[in-house]
Amino acid sequence: MTDAQQHASPDTPRGARVRERMVQCALDLFGLQGFAATRTREIAQAADVNLAAIPYYFGTKSDLYFAAAQHLAQRVSAEQAPALTRLGNVTAAGADTPELVEAAIAFLRAQALLALDSNMPASWIQFFLRSQTEHPQAFDELYRRVVEPAHQALGTVIGRLMRRAEDDSEVRAVTLMLMHQLLSLRMAEVALLRRLQWDALTPPRVMSLTHTLTTMMRAQLLGLAPSLPIDPP
C-alpha cells in the first residue's frame, strides 16, 4: 500500500487536521527538546500517526521544523494584528507625545498579554529562541512575519519620541529592549513563579504582572521625552 493510500490527502479536511496535529506536536517537542534531540518517531507518537506520515505530509525533519515555524508565525501574527493596526492608526493621525506614549503602552500591554496567554505554551517561546541557532530559515520566517512588523510599528513611535529616524540604531536598540522585557517574563517563568511564590500564572496574576510591567515601561518611554510629567494621564 502506498503512502497516498495510507494517509488522507493534505487537501482534505481530515488530512488538514492530521497535518495540523503533527505540526503542533512538533512545535511542542522541538521547543522543549531542540531539533537534534527530538526524534521524528516521538513526534509521530505524540500526534498518534505512523512514522511514514511525516515524510508523506512534510518531507524531511527539517521541513517539519519549518512548517512548525510557519504555524507559529501565522498564529502570532494573527493575534498581534489588531494591536498593530491600532498603533499604526494613532501614529498616522499625527498624535502628540502623550498620546504616542499611551498608544505604545497599549501595544506593549497587548503584547505582554499575548506572551503570557495560557494558550501560548512556554514551549512555543522556547521554539522561537531555539530557532535562532537551530534553523535559520525557520527563524527568518518568524522574524519576517512576527518580529519585524512589531518592531517597525513600535520603532516608529520610539523614533518620534526620541526625535530620531525610526531606522536609527539607538531607536532600534530601545525598541528591542522594550520588546525583550515582555518575552523575559515567559522565558524565565520557572524563576518568576519561584520568586513570587506562585504555583501558576493565573489570569489575575497575569493582569497584576502586566500592570507592573506597563508602569515600568511608561516611565521608560517618558524618559525618552523628559519634558513630560512622569505621572500617567
Side-chain angles (χ1 to χ4, degrees):
M1 183 178 293
T2 66
D3 286 345
Q5 291 172 319
Q6 289 180 334
H7 305 294
S9 168
D11 297 328
T12 65
R14 178 171 173 270
R17 289 193 299 271
V18 171
R19 188 181 189 281
E20 182 173 359
R21 191 165 70 244
M22 285 191 288
V23 165
Q24 292 196 359
C25 290
L27 189 53
D28 285 333
L29 288 169
F30 284 138
L32 290 170
Q33 302 175 171
F35 180 81
T38 300
R39 297 176 301 157
T40 52
R41 185 175 300 279
E42 290 180 274
I43 297 171
Q45 289 175 344
D48 194 25
V49 298
N50 60 47
L51 189 57
I54 291 177
Y56 176 76
Y57 283 101
F58 300 99
T60 67
K61 178 181 174 182
S62 180
D63 293 332
L64 176 54
Y65 194 104
F66 184 72
Q70 288 180 307
H71 179 84
L72 180 58
Q74 181 177 359
R75 167 72 181 274
V76 177
S77 62
E79 292 280 352
Q80 73 178 12
L84 280 172
T85 298
R86 289 192 294 269
L87 184 60
N89 290 341
V90 172
T91 305
D96 58 18
T97 298
E99 290 176 308
L100 286 173
V101 168
E102 291 311 307
I105 289 298
F107 174 74
L108 289 165
R109 182 185 297 114
Q111 294 293 99
L113 291 173
L114 176 59
L116 294 169
D117 190 343
S118 60
N119 293 319
M120 186 72 67
S123 59
W124 294 13
I125 304 294
Q126 293 297 326
F127 179 94
F128 168 74
L129 296 174
R130 291 181 185 276
S131 71
Q132 298 177 59
T133 56
E134 291 186 337
H135 200 299
Q137 185 183 14
F139 176 68
D140 287 346
E141 180 76 1
L142 287 162
Y143 187 89
R144 179 180 64 84
R145 296 178 61 182
V146 177
V147 178
E148 192 167 31
H151 280 230
Q152 285 181 339
L154 183 60
T156 299
V157 174
I158 301 302
R160 287 179 58 178
L161 290 174
M162 297 177 70
R163 295 175 174 80
R164 297 190 183 191
E166 60 188 77
D167 61 352
D168 178 85
S169 59
E170 189 170 349
V171 170
R172 291 191 174 201
V174 170
T175 303
L176 177 65
M177 291 173 191
L178 286 168
M179 294 294 293
H180 183 75
Q181 291 178 77
L182 308 178
L183 284 177
S184 67
L185 291 175
R186 199 63 188 272
M187 287 158 45
E189 184 176 339
V190 174
L192 172 71
L193 293 174
R194 181 172 297 186
R195 183 61 185 163
L196 297 181
Q197 298 183 332
W198 291 348
D199 58 347
L201 281 176
T202 63
R205 289 168 177 172
V206 167
M207 294 306 296
S208 175
L209 276 175
T210 304
H211 174 75
T212 301
L213 184 61
T214 53
T215 298
M216 291 172 53
M217 288 182 169
R218 180 178 283 106
Q220 292 170 335
L221 289 168
L222 289 170
L224 302 176
S227 62
L228 288 175
I230 296 299
D231 293 334

